[in-house]
């Protein structure tokens, strides 16, 4: 199967929507350091897709910029070509699928970048990525959001009745080199940056002041928190430790 490095790879897949817990305790006592506003760029990628390496490289480039939170999610549907992505998880694929309808896409594809949950692009052209980031802006009336060891603090702020989902993300800020031995990228060693290792929905925020306890991140990983409109809507605020 041939794939152009300038066009996305499309694939059909069957998915089961994972069960998501709702845990929204109200505590006090944390003294977090407030993070600067962040533009969240999510890359949906696969080591089995020959079109993905340029987008991986662009994500690595923008990950070094102040004010950008770059996250790499490995999806499942190219594993059938003979190489299972070593970072893959079904819930990352489900996250991508959830985005497609609100973003006006006919289905999931790789590579795909999603900027602040508001814009979708392939991600192989760095100039297009720059333009998407520049056009993202800062959401109006974003609540204060801070992450400190063991705590997430969200300030009181008027919000829509539906509220915003609170997503906990653990990611590896280091660059990781993965030798690929089969599939479309067989024989290549692919670099990855800011690979997501865990994605958990902590609950829903509806405008109240919250202080949520969180477990320490595993060694080598960082923590990010996203406040996002339900069902793949826009990201209202984001912070990282």
């Amino acid at each position: 199967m041939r794939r152009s490095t300038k066009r996305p790879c499309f694939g059909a897949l069957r998915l089961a929507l994972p069960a998501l817990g709702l845990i929204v305790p109200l505590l006090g006592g944390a003294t977090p350091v407030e993070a600067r506003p962040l533009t969240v760029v999510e890359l949906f990628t696969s080591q089995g897709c020959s079109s993905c390496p340029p987008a991986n490289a662009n994500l690595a480039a923008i990950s070094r910029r102040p004010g950008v939170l770059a996250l790499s999610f490995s999806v499942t549907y190219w594993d059938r070509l003979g190489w299972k992505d070593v970072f893959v998880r079904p819930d990352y694929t489900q996250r991508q699928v959830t985005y497609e309808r609100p973003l006006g896409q006919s289905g999931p594809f790789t590579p795909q970048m999603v900027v602040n949950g508001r814009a979708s692009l392939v991600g192989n052209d760095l100039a297009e990525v720059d333009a998407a980031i520049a056009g993202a802006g800062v959401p109006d009336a974003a609540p204060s959001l801070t992450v400190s060891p063991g705590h997430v603090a969200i300030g009181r702020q008027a919000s829509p009745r539906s509220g915003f989902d609170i997503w906990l993300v653990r990611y590896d800020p280091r660059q990781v080199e993965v030798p690929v031995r089969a599939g479309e990228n067989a024989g290549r060693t692919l670099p990855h940056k800011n690979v997501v290792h865990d994605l958990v929905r902590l609950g829903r925020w509806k405008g109240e002041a919250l202080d949520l306890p969180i477990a320490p991140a595993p060694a080598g990983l960082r923590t990010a928190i996203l406040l996002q409109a339900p069902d793949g809507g826009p990201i209202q605020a984001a912070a990282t430790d």
Side-chain angles (χ1 to χ4, degrees):
M1 184 182 300
R2 293 182 297 172
R3 295 288 183 271
S4 167
T5 59
K6 295 185 178 180
R7 297 182 62 84
C9 298
F10 292 83
L13 62 161
R14 296 180 181 177
L15 297 164
L17 185 65
L20 297 173
L22 182 62
I23 308 173
V24 188
L26 176 60
L27 299 175
T31 309
V33 177
E34 187 161 350
R36 63 183 297 169
L38 294 174
T39 298
V40 181
V41 181
E42 301 172 67
L43 172 64
F44 296 95
T45 184
S46 172
Q47 293 158 10
C49 166
S50 62
S51 298
C52 287
N56 292 349
N58 287 341
L59 190 83
I62 65 173
S63 72
R64 295 185 282 271
R65 298 180 184 176
V68 173
L69 173 59
L71 300 171
S72 178
F73 292 89
S74 290
V75 297
T76 58
Y77 44 91
W78 291 114
D79 291 353
R80 70 180 189 273
L81 297 183
W83 177 260
K84 183 176 180 179
D85 192 299
V86 299
F87 303 122
V88 74
R89 275 184 36 172
D91 50 329
Y92 303 162
T93 309
Q94 182 59 54
R95 181 169 177 83
Q96 184 188 21
V97 171
T98 301
Y99 270 135
E100 300 311 284
R101 185 171 181 179
L103 291 176
Q105 304 291 340
S106 60
F109 60 92
T110 55
Q112 181 185 23
M113 283 187 182
V114 177
V115 181
N116 275 354
R118 299 170 183 268
S120 170
L121 66 157
V122 173
N124 282 353
D125 185 326
L126 187 56
E128 291 182 0
V129 176
D130 289 340
I133 293 172
V138 178
D140 294 333
S144 64
L145 175 62
T146 56
V147 182
S148 60
H151 290 275
V152 174
I154 307 173
R156 186 179 300 277
Q157 177 78 44
S159 73
R161 181 174 298 180
S162 60
F164 294 94
D165 288 331
I166 307 167
W167 290 99
L168 170 70
V169 183
R170 308 284 198 187
Y171 67 98
D172 187 346
R174 298 165 295 185
Q175 181 159 303
V176 181
E177 308 283 339
V178 178
V180 179
R181 298 185 178 88
E184 291 191 349
N185 289 311
R188 301 181 66 178
T189 296
L190 303 181
H192 298 268
K193 186 78 162 47
N194 287 18
V195 173
V196 175
H197 286 261
D198 202 13
L199 176 68
V200 179
R201 180 177 174 272
L202 298 180
R204 187 163 290 181
W205 175 79
K206 293 190 175 182
E208 69 275 29
L210 289 178
D211 189 338
L212 308 178
I214 58 173
L221 301 187
R222 294 189 64 183
T223 299
I225 296 291
L226 313 179
L227 288 185
Q228 183 168 21
D231 303 318
I235 292 174
Q236 190 71 5
T240 190
D241 58 6

